[in-house]
Amino acid sequence: MNPETKTPLVRLAKREAMEPWKAWCIRIGSILLALVLGGLLIAALGKNPLAAYGTILDGSLGRASALRQTAKIAIPLLGTALAIAPCFKMRFWNIGAEGQITAGAIAASYFALFWVDKVPSALLLVIMGLSGALAGGLWALIPAFFKARWNTNETLFTLMMNYIIIGVVRWLQGGPWEGRPGSQIIPQFDSAACLPKVFGVHCGWIIVLILVVFIYIYMRYTKHGYEIAVIGDSVNTARYAGMNVGRVIMRTMFLSGAISGLVGFIVASGADNTLHDGVAAGVGFTAITVAWLAQLNPFAMIAISGMLAILSKGADTLHTRMDVPASISDIITGMLLFCMLGCEFFINYRLIFRGGKSSPEAPDGKEAVKHA
Amino acid sequence: MPDFVQLFIALVVAAITYGTPLLFGTLGEILTEKSGNLNLGVEGIMFMGGALGLGGVFYYEKAVSVPNGILAVLIGMVCAFIAGAIASLIFSFITITLRANQNVTGLALAIFGTGIGQFAGEYMRIQEGGYISISNELKVFFINSPFPQALQDLPYVGNILFGNSIFFYLGILLAVAMFLYFGRSRSGLHLRAVGESPATADAAGISVTRYKYLATVIGGGISAIGGMVYITTIAGCVWNHEGLSGVGWLAVALVIFCLWRPLNAIWGSVLFGALMILYLRLALPFIPTQLYKILPYVVTVIVLIFSSMRNNKEKQPPASLGLSYFREDR
């Protein structure tokens, strides 16, 4: 018989675990909520929200050419989200994917520009891919080394590394690799250095889908994946179990950077056919939210990156057809992220209202207290 | 006055102009981070502050026949502050109450805020059928120094000390106020305790939630003023998202560079402002201009590395930076 006077109106308790179907219901509900909020915004502009969403869907999926454009947006998002997943599983906040993509693109572009007449096309593409992966990995290894050795804050370090490498691209654009003098543009790659197309979209999508399976197996069924999970849960436990935490951090970051670098190669060679300072174009940041919202599950990432790509491509159509500024896609994406981030709370925690003893989950709660 | 002195003075004045938006952005983020919240959405917050602050002044001028300059400056600051505060309130609700990951939420806010900023800028342009701009009579109040001409004409120091826009002096006042607040007041001590060890602060009876909310919301409002300052003093009172992009991230970098100290932010922001424009004023033949522009980031990385290597207790990020607090976690 606790005295009721001191009990606050709402208390929080951690849930043990929620059935997956319930959790996914909450997540889908949050997506719907975000779409309703976005609809209200569109209505506030004096447009019909349903027509607007229809335009978004039609503009992104309606025709084969639109579908290809949407896929082109989704490929780097998905690839980079996969790259980020192992780091985030390890609670290593790598927000430098933007820079790692760019580093990979630089290395790939070097071979595309200067080796094109030295080796056959297939070999050239392989070299470009490998060098991109290596460059991205090495670029990611720098903050990882300092994290492992001196525990330097990786969030801020990786963030700064983005702007450094993007500055290097700007320098290459205006200096050593500039095409026509004064143009500030690096020349288009020779067709031998461009990824071939499969079903009308550059074959990067095949690489990325293979990576989905690879990351799934790597995280779930390998010793490396297990070490990453243990470090993410508790660094001290990992040390006690005899894991070399510093080495795992550096290894995982290298892998993450390498995949991002590969994405950089895919974007430069497949989509842009050149190198420019916007090669990553914010993908490194958006992919973080993709990975996180997918609960680091590679297959869920396909759905979420697809959804964001539909929004992004659809908003362009919305801009041309209904005269709504294209930046509305960023706003709706932001709302979507907010709602989905917020909804995890209702999956992980339980609200207990004062006097509300007849909650169906109360027995679970008592059990949990006993265990604790 | 010799030529190189004149050149130097011109450089410092320009550096201060470019540093002032950073000063606000940084001071706001320092306040936020002192409470243990790492708000990576500064970029978005400054976009919102820039667009909505400009919008506030524009519509004020449109509504009134004889606009008052000082009131216009105030309206710009208040509009920007409110925009930033609302953005940070969303961030606070999701990270403090709903305990979501701060890095991810901050990035989401960066996407959302840049979207809102561009959307508002674009929408106002469509609505008004042309560029959103403030009249020249009103611009003067944003750009010119509040001090009398006689002081500005003092040899050597006049222009540097008295020739800057009013925002620089407000920024200095704010930095000093924050320094006194953190170091000399009980409430500031509580705030730092919340940032260092929320569990300890909670046990001592300090309301962790309230301090985190207030610091983050006010900090976001201050950062947003930086965006407005950029648009009104540097971008010529026209919405220009190209110029503003990157300033917010630079402010995040500057927080590290300043080692979370408000007084360091004053000279730090002027230094970063100088690094931003140095390539225009001081072209060295052997360093390409584009590589100049990455200097602020390189310097920040070096500071970050050295501060972690020396492991000096005074020069660390707040210990709980980036972590959500739940009382029942151990």
Side-chain angles (χ1 to χ4, degrees):
Chain A
M1 299 302 123
N2 290 334
E4 289 281 317
T5 46
K6 279 291 180 187
T7 318
L9 180 61
V10 184
R11 285 185 302 128
L12 294 178
K14 271 222 159 110
R15 275 189 214 276
E16 285 292 279
M18 191 185 243
E19 293 94 328
W21 69 269
K22 264 191 192 169
W24 283 106
C25 278
I26 291 181
R27 287 187 192 123
I28 289 167
S30 73
I31 294 176
L32 292 178
L33 175 68
L35 292 181
V36 169
L37 288 176
L40 288 178
L41 177 71
I42 294 168
L45 296 174
K47 317 272 176 189
N48 180 353
L50 286 178
Y53 280 126
T55 310
I56 288 181
L57 282 181
D58 183 48
S60 56
L61 305 173
R63 275 167 303 123
S65 63
L67 194 61
R68 279 188 216 120
Q69 288 291 326
T70 310
K72 239 183 192 176
I73 300 174
I75 290 166
L77 263 184
L78 175 58
T80 313
L82 291 168
I84 288 162
C87 290
F88 272 47
K89 183 80 182 167
M90 201 171 63
R91 295 280 183 273
F92 183 103
W93 307 114
N94 171 21
I95 54 176
E98 191 91 353
Q100 290 144 23
I101 294 172
T102 311
I106 292 178
S109 300
Y110 170 76
F111 289 101
L113 292 171
F114 301 108
W115 278 48
V116 66
D117 40 11
K118 289 181 189 158
V119 288
S121 172
L123 181 62
L124 178 67
L125 287 172
V126 171
I127 293 175
M128 282 166 69
L130 287 179
S131 64
L134 187 67
L138 290 177
W139 193 250
L141 204 54
I142 300 170
F145 169 76
F146 285 99
K147 172 75 179 181
R149 182 73 182 76
W150 286 290
N151 200 23
T152 310
N153 185 321
E154 77 280 8
T155 316
L156 304 169
F157 200 140
T158 48
L159 179 68
M160 295 305 116
M161 295 295 276
N162 293 339
Y163 296 99
I164 295 175
I165 196 78
I166 290 172
V168 171
V169 176
R170 294 205 175 115
W171 167 62
L172 290 171
Q173 257 180 294
W177 291 4
E178 192 178 28
R180 194 166 44 75
S183 64
Q184 300 272 325
I185 291 173
I186 294 171
Q188 291 274 313
F189 295 166
D190 190 277
S191 59
C194 297
L195 276 176
K197 291 191 172 173
V198 180
F199 297 128
V201 184
H202 62 78
C203 69
W205 63 271
I206 300 176
I207 303 175
V208 173
L209 287 182
I210 294 171
L211 279 175
V212 169
V213 178
F214 168 72
I215 288 288
Y216 182 78
I217 294 171
Y218 181 80
M219 302 250 290
R220 193 154 291 206
Y221 298 110
T222 66
K223 183 170 161 237
H224 286 189
Y226 179 70
E227 286 176 337
I228 289 169
V230 173
I231 291 177
D233 277 342
S234 162
V235 174
N236 286 333
T237 309
R239 286 219 176 86
Y240 190 67
M243 292 174 195
N244 185 342
V245 175
R247 217 184 63 200
V248 177
I249 287 179
M250 292 206 280
R251 186 183 68 204
T252 311
M253 256 311 256
F254 182 82
L255 175 75
S256 171
I259 298 176
S260 294
L262 196 62
V263 172
F265 150 69
I266 291 172
V267 173
S269 167
D272 297 347
N273 300 338
T274 183
L275 174 71
H276 60 111
D277 57 348
V279 60
V283 163
F285 294 127
T286 314
I288 289 169
T289 53
V290 171
W292 192 254
L293 295 180
Q295 306 285 303
L296 307 182
N297 177 339
F299 294 103
M301 286 175 201
I302 299 178
I304 293 185
S305 54
M307 190 167 71
L308 295 190
I310 287 173
L311 262 178
S312 166
K313 173 69 185 71
D316 282 341
T317 318
L318 199 61
H319 178 58
T320 46
R321 284 198 208 156
M322 291 175 78
D323 202 25
V324 176
S327 37
I328 193 146
S329 86
D330 282 343
I331 300 179
I332 298 180
T333 304
M335 287 176 177
L336 206 58
L337 300 175
F338 287 146
C339 289
M340 293 184 73
L341 285 166
C343 86
E344 294 300 316
F345 170 80
F346 299 98
I347 295 171
N348 294 321
Y349 293 89
R350 204 150 51 84
L351 297 176
I352 305 169
F353 290 93
R354 180 162 56 204
K357 289 203 178 74
S358 56
S359 157
E361 287 182 67
D364 284 356
K366 274 179 195 154
E367 200 108 328
V369 170
K370 256 187 235 160
H371 281 301
Chain B
M1 242 188 288
D3 258 4
F4 72 92
V5 174
Q6 251 170 355
L7 197 74
F8 179 74
I9 289 175
L11 176 68
V12 173
V13 170
I16 290 176
T17 309
Y18 275 79
T20 308
L22 284 175
L23 179 58
F24 279 95
T26 306
L27 287 175
E29 183 66 8
I30 289 178
L31 184 62
T32 305
E33 291 193 14
K34 279 286 182 186
S35 76
N37 270 3
L38 177 63
N39 186 350
L40 290 178
V42 185
E43 175 88 357
I45 288 173
M46 289 181 82
F47 261 68
M48 287 175 69
L52 298 175
L54 177 69
V57 179
F58 175 77
Y59 284 110
Y60 163 71
E61 194 186 12
K62 226 180 122 181
V64 186
S65 52
V66 189
N68 178 333
I70 295 163
L71 194 60
V73 171
L74 266 180
I75 285 176
M77 290 178 73
V78 168
C79 286
F81 185 91
I82 291 173
I86 290 173
S88 308
L89 190 64
I90 299 173
F91 175 84
S92 304
F93 179 70
I94 293 174
T95 60
I96 302 170
T97 303
L98 300 184
R99 292 173 177 79
N101 180 288
Q102 291 181 13
N103 294 313
V104 181
T105 311
L107 293 173
L109 181 59
I111 295 170
F112 179 75
T114 46
I116 291 265
Q118 290 199 48
F119 185 85
E122 181 85 347
Y123 188 71
M124 287 189 298
R125 201 174 57 76
I126 294 173
Q127 287 284 301
E128 301 302 324
Y131 277 102
I132 297 288
S133 183
I134 299 170
S135 69
N136 285 334
E137 294 81 59
L138 218 50
K139 272 184 199 169
V140 170
F141 286 88
F142 287 89
I143 296 168
N144 283 9
S145 160
F147 292 103
Q149 193 62 38
L151 281 175
Q152 297 181 46
D153 287 344
L154 287 178
Y156 296 105
V157 295
N159 225 348
I160 293 180
L161 288 184
F162 302 109
N164 305 296
S165 76
I166 185 167
F167 298 112
F168 181 60
Y169 305 105
L170 290 176
I172 290 181
L173 284 181
L174 184 64
V176 173
M178 275 173 61
F179 168 74
L180 294 175
Y181 173 71
F182 290 142
R184 302 277 186 277
S185 78
R186 179 159 292 269
S187 160
L189 181 69
H190 288 175
L191 177 67
R192 285 189 294 145
V194 167
E196 296 293 340
S197 170
T200 314
D202 198 11
I206 300 168
S207 169
V208 174
T209 310
R210 198 179 66 194
Y211 272 96
K212 274 185 174 255
Y213 258 98
L214 279 176
T216 310
V217 169
I218 295 173
I222 294 171
S223 294
I225 292 176
M228 191 276 292
V229 172
Y230 186 94
I231 292 295
T232 51
T233 60
I234 299 172
C237 294
V238 176
W239 173 245
N240 171 2
H241 69 90
E242 291 281 323
L244 193 54
S245 74
V247 176
W249 296 116
L250 210 52
V252 175
L254 193 52
V255 173
I256 309 159
F257 182 79
C258 303
L259 302 166
W260 292 266
R261 291 178 189 170
L263 291 187
N264 285 359
I266 299 173
W267 63 265
S269 60
V270 174
L271 178 69
F272 271 43
L275 292 176
M276 279 166 82
I277 51 141
L278 204 56
Y279 70 98
L280 290 174
R281 310 265 165 172
L282 192 69
L284 296 180
F286 48 89
I287 302 180
T289 55
Q290 295 297 345
L291 291 188
Y292 256 127
K293 291 188 189 168
I294 65 176
L295 275 178
Y297 304 108
V298 175
V299 170
T300 305
V301 163
I302 292 170
V303 169
L304 198 61
I305 292 172
F306 274 100
S307 66
S308 66
M309 276 163 80
R310 284 167 60 194
N311 206 5
N312 183 340
K313 280 223 169 70
E314 296 292 306
K315 292 178 178 164
Q316 294 299 317
S320 82
L321 188 63
L323 306 173
S324 305
Y325 174 61
F326 180 53
R327 192 181 268 175
E328 291 170 28
D329 274 344
R330 277 152 297 161

